[in-house]
């Protein structure tokens, strides 16, 4: 029997609720609470630093909500198990059930928490033997919820900042980094274009080229010059699109 | 179809009616075989009858349109149309045959066949065509009325559905708050803060009693709204601790009428979309006053930079409710003021004790 304690990060914006939950988990043999975060950004920083086995996250949180936090963890590639807590969100609940995810409801019942921890423990223990294929139910779930992701955490060495996706005009590849362009400034973000394109809402963000993603709402003009297509954006920027990228963009604009 | 509802349009309708009457008269005389003394031909008679049918059709529509909703035609429209389409041809037919008999008797020299033929050319054909024209027009008119009525009914249904949706939405927001509060109370018990837990349960009880109490009432007194909101705020202060502060500055008579949950909605909006969403502290300032025979409620809070939408579903919902209650005499304006503040301002007519809107 493996006597190792599994490590948990708790993300909950309400003080009492967070403390009570932490006490409950800490009192369960085999579990150890390593960080208590009061919002999504706090929780992301803790997860990056501690790489916990489990994150228990409230859906509705300041700065970065539970879903956005989960999307960030998946983009980074952390294998942390995630359990969501929600008070009453009919949309999220039905989606949870469809995706067969573990979730907890408020008010929290002791038995529900214990059952949930038992299931997560079983998954964590079997994980040593079976390699993760990286396409668990959570990833499938996040794919279906891409439209509700409204913020992105920009990770540059030693820093973590939140950029509202509504401000992003375009994203351009810069070596191993992605450059997020907003009206005010640009942000260097450590993530590949493929990974970014996979987690942004395809209705709002369209890859027009191997190295370029544009926000559909920022496109002002599309110019064709023979096989070359130029996309003009609202900040005056002009980007080149591949023929297939241009088609994708036009479809998204028409939709 | 409401194009004959205003005096100016009725006048225009009457002018149109007389222009058409005069034109028809002139054309009728011109088309009449007697006008140039030529022999009557089917061609000419039928053209004349078609013209007259057209005229009667128009007259039917205008008459029904003017009568509609004025002399009870609305509910008896069908009856009137059926009666017209039966009585008019019958009466005209009787008159025509009566005419045949009179002519035959007075022109004893003529044969039966000649008499019938004479009238067949003029009165019989013309009367029948006119009657058919009126009946067809009445049927079409009836069909059109029913179709527009169905459309209006469907529109009303859509509106009612939208209202139900709004109510459901409000129920959902309330239940989210309810479950969160229950969770906080459970947490307080787990942390053995018994007194806080008991206080919170009492507050929650007040809120639930308030929601049951308000039922379908469209207005409550300011003192009711204020104590309901105080219970709500107390629970939110418990949940957010030091991060949330609220100052209420009210100069409003206790009996002033306000829509229920108006103040609560404004504060809920400030909590959900204000600077708490950025993880910061939030100070909410509320002012309620009675000015120029209007109630004005202003809620200010530090704006959130992260929360995408400026106003939430709550404010939209509120605007709809105010519009239903007060029409255009109520306003709800919300938006950022400067760089750091968000301000929601609601204004609606002041009604004292006893006065209320259904």
């Amino acid at each position: 029997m493996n006597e190792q304690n599994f490590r948990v990060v708790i993300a909950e914006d309400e003080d009492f609720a967070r403390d009570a939950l932490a006490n409950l988990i800490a009192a369960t043999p085999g579990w150890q609470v390593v960080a208590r975060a009061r919002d999504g950004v706090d929780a992301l920083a803790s997860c990056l630093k501690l790489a916990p086995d489990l994150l228990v996250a409230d859906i509705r949180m300041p700065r970065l909500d539970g879903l956005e936090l989960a999307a960030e963890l998946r983009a980074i590639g952390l294998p942390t198990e995630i359990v969501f807590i929600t008070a009453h969100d009919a949309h999220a609940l039905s989606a949870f059930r469809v995706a067969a995810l573990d979730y907890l409801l408020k008010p929290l019942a002791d038995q529900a928490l214990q059952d949930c921890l038992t299931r997560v423990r079983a998954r964590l223990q079997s994980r040593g033997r079976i390699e993760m294929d990286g396409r668990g139910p959570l990833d499938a779930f996040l794919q279906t919820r891409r439209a509700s992701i409204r913020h992105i955490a920009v990770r540059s060495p030693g820093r973590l900042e939140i950029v509202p996706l509504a401000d992003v005009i375009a994203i351009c590849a810069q070596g191993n980094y992605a450059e997020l362009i907003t009206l005010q400034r640009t942000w260097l973000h450590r993530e590949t274009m493929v990974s970014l394109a996979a987690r942004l809402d395809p209705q709002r963000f369209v890859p027009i080229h191997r190295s370029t993603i544009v926000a559909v709402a920022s496109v002002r003009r599309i110019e064709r010059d023979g096989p070359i297509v130029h996309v003009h954006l609202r900040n005056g920027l002009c980007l080149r699109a591949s023929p297939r990228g241009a088609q994708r963009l036009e479809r998204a604009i028409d939709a | 179809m409401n194009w004959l509802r205003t005096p100016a349009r009725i006048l225009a309708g009457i002018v149109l009616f007389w222009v058409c009457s005069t034109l028809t008269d002139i054309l009728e005389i011109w088309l009449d075989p007697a006008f140039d003394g030529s022999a009557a031909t089917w061609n000419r008679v039928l053209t004349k009858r078609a013209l007259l049918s057209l005229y009667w059709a128009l007259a039917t529509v205008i008459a029904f349109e003017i009568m509609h909703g004025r002399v009870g035609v609305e509910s008896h429209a069908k009856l009137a149309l059926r009666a017209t389409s039966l009585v008019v041809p019958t009466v005209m037919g009787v008159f025509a045959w009566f005419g045949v008999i009179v002519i035959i008797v007075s022109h004893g020299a003529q044969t039966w066949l000649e008499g019938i033929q004479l009238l067949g050319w003029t009165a019989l054909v013309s009367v029948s065509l006119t009657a058919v024209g009126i009946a067809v027009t009445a049927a079409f008119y009836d069909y059109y009325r029913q179709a527009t009525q169905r459309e209006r009914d469907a529109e009303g249904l859509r509106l009612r559905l939208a209202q139900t949706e709004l109510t459901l939405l409000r129920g959902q927001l309330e239940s989210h708050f309810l479950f969160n509060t229950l969770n906080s109370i459970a947490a307080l018990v787990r942390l053995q803060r018994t007194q806080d837990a008991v206080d919170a349960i009492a507050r929650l009880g007040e809120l639930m009693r308030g929601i049951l109490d308000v039922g379908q009432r469209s207005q409550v007194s300011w003192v009711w709204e204020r104590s309901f909101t105080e219970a709500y705020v107390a629970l939110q202060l418990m949940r957010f601790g030091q991060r949330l502060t609220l100052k209420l500055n009210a100069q409003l008579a206790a009996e002033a009428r306000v829509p229920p949950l108006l103040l609560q909605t404004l504060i809920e909006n400030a909590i959900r979309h204000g600077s708490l969403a950025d993880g910061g502290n939030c100070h909410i300032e509320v002012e309620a006053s009675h000015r120029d025979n209007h109630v004005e409620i202003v809620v200010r809070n530090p704006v959130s930079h992260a929360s995408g939408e400026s106003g939430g579903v709550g404010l939209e919902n509120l605007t709809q409710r105010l519009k239903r209650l007060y029409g255009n005499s109520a306003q709800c304006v919300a938006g950022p003021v400067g760089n750091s503040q968000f301000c929601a301002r609601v204004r609606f007519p002041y009604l004292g004790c006893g006065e209320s809107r259904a």
Side-chain angles (χ1 to χ4, degrees):
Chain A
M1 195 62 201
N2 189 356
E3 286 308 312
Q4 168 214 355
N5 274 349
F6 288 119
R7 297 154 70 249
V8 188
V9 167
I10 291 169
E12 157 71 71
D13 63 325
E14 214 183 289
D15 296 345
F16 306 140
R18 184 172 61 244
D19 290 345
L21 177 61
N23 291 352
L24 274 180
I25 294 178
T28 311
W31 296 93
Q32 179 193 356
V33 176
V34 291
R36 303 169 184 205
R38 52 179 276 180
D39 63 47
V41 176
D42 224 8
L44 180 56
S46 297
C47 289
L48 284 172
K49 200 165 74 190
L50 303 165
D53 298 299
L54 171 65
L55 165 71
V56 182
D58 194 1
I59 293 275
R60 213 186 258 187
M61 276 192 299
R63 293 165 88 193
L64 211 56
D65 71 24
L67 290 182
E68 293 168 335
L69 174 60
E72 291 295 340
L73 291 181
R74 281 302 184 260
I76 297 161
L78 273 182
T80 302
E81 288 280 339
I82 300 173
V83 171
F84 293 112
I85 315 177
T86 183
H88 181 81
D89 185 343
H91 286 297
L93 283 184
S94 55
F96 288 160
R97 275 187 218 112
V98 169
L101 287 190
D102 262 324
Y103 61 90
L104 294 168
L105 290 174
K106 290 181 179 182
L108 202 61
D110 289 11
Q111 195 54 50
L113 177 68
Q114 295 305 328
D115 292 350
C116 175
L117 288 179
T118 309
R119 282 194 299 273
V120 173
R121 177 199 296 276
R123 278 208 299 278
L124 284 168
Q125 281 169 342
S126 65
R127 196 191 269 173
R129 298 189 294 275
I130 313 158
E131 271 306 303
M132 277 251 293
D133 65 355
R135 280 202 307 273
L138 179 61
D139 297 79
F141 170 72
L142 288 171
Q143 279 285 319
T144 63
R145 303 283 291 184
R146 284 195 281 180
S148 59
I149 305 284
R150 293 185 296 129
H151 301 96
I152 191 164
V154 171
R155 304 182 302 279
S156 41
R159 279 246 294 271
L160 200 57
E161 280 171 286
I162 302 303
V163 179
L165 281 174
D167 293 354
V168 174
I169 293 168
I171 304 169
C172 300
Q174 294 285 342
N176 287 334
Y177 285 81
E179 194 181 38
L180 268 58
I181 301 165
T182 65
L183 268 187
Q184 289 79 30
R185 55 167 292 188
T186 61
W187 311 74
L188 266 188
H189 172 60
R190 188 164 200 168
E191 188 171 350
T192 64
M193 297 303 277
V194 175
S195 159
L196 266 173
R199 69 183 176 118
L200 295 175
D201 178 12
Q203 303 291 322
R204 288 186 294 156
F205 290 94
V206 175
I208 57 164
H209 200 271
R210 237 175 324 121
S211 61
T212 321
I213 296 173
V214 296
V216 175
S218 301
V219 175
R220 286 292 171 269
R221 212 163 70 244
I222 301 174
E223 270 175 15
R224 286 171 189 281
D225 184 12
I228 302 165
V229 183
H230 287 290
V231 178
H232 293 263
L233 302 177
R234 68 169 172 187
N235 63 343
L237 197 67
C238 170
L239 297 167
R240 203 169 145 191
S242 68
R244 202 180 308 162
Q247 270 177 18
R248 271 197 296 264
L249 181 60
E250 275 161 5
R251 268 203 304 275
I253 290 172
D254 289 340
Chain B
M1 199 181 187
N2 277 328
W3 49 276
L4 276 172
R5 291 296 96 165
T6 66
R9 285 178 185 180
I10 290 171
L11 194 68
I14 292 170
V15 170
L16 179 75
F17 177 78
W18 281 109
V19 167
C20 289
S21 300
T22 314
L23 279 177
T24 310
D25 220 9
I26 294 169
L27 279 167
E28 195 200 348
I29 293 168
W30 185 71
L31 282 166
D32 199 277
F35 182 62
D36 48 11
S38 63
T41 61
W42 273 107
N43 210 354
R44 225 162 151 175
V45 171
L46 284 180
T47 313
K48 192 180 117 183
R49 289 322 310 169
L51 178 77
L52 284 175
S53 298
L54 202 67
Y55 169 78
W56 279 110
L58 184 74
T60 310
V61 170
I62 291 178
F64 278 146
E65 203 50 49
I66 291 174
M67 303 265 281
H68 176 72
R70 278 172 218 281
V71 284
V73 173
E74 174 74 282
S75 53
H76 300 104
K78 260 189 179 167
L79 195 66
L81 293 170
R82 299 274 181 277
T84 313
S85 57
L86 281 174
V87 170
V88 169
T90 310
V91 169
M92 288 187 159
V94 167
F95 270 103
W97 285 107
F98 185 67
V100 172
I101 293 160
V102 167
I103 287 170
I104 288 165
V105 170
S106 62
H107 297 75
Q110 285 174 331
T111 63
W112 280 91
L113 192 65
E114 276 170 340
I116 290 167
Q117 225 168 356
L118 185 70
L119 271 166
W121 277 110
T122 55
L124 196 58
V125 172
S126 65
V127 164
S128 305
L129 279 176
T130 305
V132 167
I134 289 176
V136 167
T137 313
F140 269 110
Y141 179 84
D142 195 25
Y143 175 78
Y144 174 78
R145 269 276 170 219
Q146 280 186 12
T148 49
Q149 188 57 45
R150 267 199 298 275
E151 208 165 286
R152 251 195 307 248
D153 288 350
E155 184 62 36
L157 191 66
R158 267 198 293 278
L159 201 71
R160 274 202 300 284
L161 273 179
Q163 284 170 8
T164 317
E165 262 165 37
L166 288 174
T167 323
L168 283 177
L169 202 60
R170 205 166 72 215
Q172 206 167 49
L173 294 178
E174 279 156 8
S175 54
H176 202 282
F177 170 77
L178 176 71
F179 290 121
N180 259 320
T181 305
L182 285 174
N183 192 55
S184 306
I185 293 171
L188 285 171
V189 174
R190 287 196 168 110
L191 298 170
Q192 290 174 0
R193 294 176 58 165
T194 321
Q195 192 54 52
D196 289 331
V198 170
D199 289 346
I201 291 171
R203 293 298 198 181
L204 191 58
E206 271 176 58
L207 276 190
M208 295 181 73
R209 197 172 300 119
I211 287 172
L212 289 176
D213 183 33
V214 83
Q216 296 299 311
R217 275 153 72 191
S218 62
Q219 286 180 322
V220 292
S221 67
W222 167 245
V223 71
W224 187 98
E225 176 67 12
R226 191 177 161 156
S227 66
F228 181 87
T229 308
E230 271 163 7
Y232 172 79
V233 167
L235 287 172
Q236 291 288 33
L237 289 176
M238 172 197 85
R239 289 183 54 210
F240 291 105
Q242 310 276 308
R243 281 181 286 161
L244 178 66
T245 46
L246 187 133
K247 195 177 135 202
L248 174 65
N249 180 14
Q251 276 136 13
L252 198 56
E255 70 273 9
R257 312 296 292 168
V258 297
L261 275 57
L262 171 112
L263 184 58
Q264 182 268 337
T265 307
L266 288 171
I267 291 174
E268 182 180 41
N269 190 66
I271 290 171
R272 280 195 64 189
H273 301 285
S275 52
L276 279 176
D278 294 347
N281 294 338
C282 186
H283 177 66
I284 302 175
E285 272 183 44
V286 182
E287 268 175 54
S289 57
H290 175 191
R291 203 179 292 167
D292 309 330
N293 227 16
H294 278 73
V295 175
E296 191 172 86
I297 296 177
V298 183
V299 176
R300 290 191 184 83
N301 59 278
V303 74
S304 157
H305 297 287
S307 170
E309 315 99 271
S310 50
V313 191
L315 280 186
E316 226 165 85
N317 190 347
L318 183 68
T319 313
Q320 298 281 336
R321 274 171 65 203
L322 285 171
K323 207 178 168 67
R324 277 206 302 279
L325 213 51
Y326 303 101
N328 289 330
S329 47
Q331 288 141 22
C332 175
V333 188
V337 178
N339 234 353
S340 59
Q341 288 280 309
F342 186 88
C343 174
R345 186 183 300 268
V346 173
R347 215 175 116 88
F348 52 91
Y350 177 92
L351 296 170
C353 178
E355 303 173 71
S356 72
R357 305 251 168 132

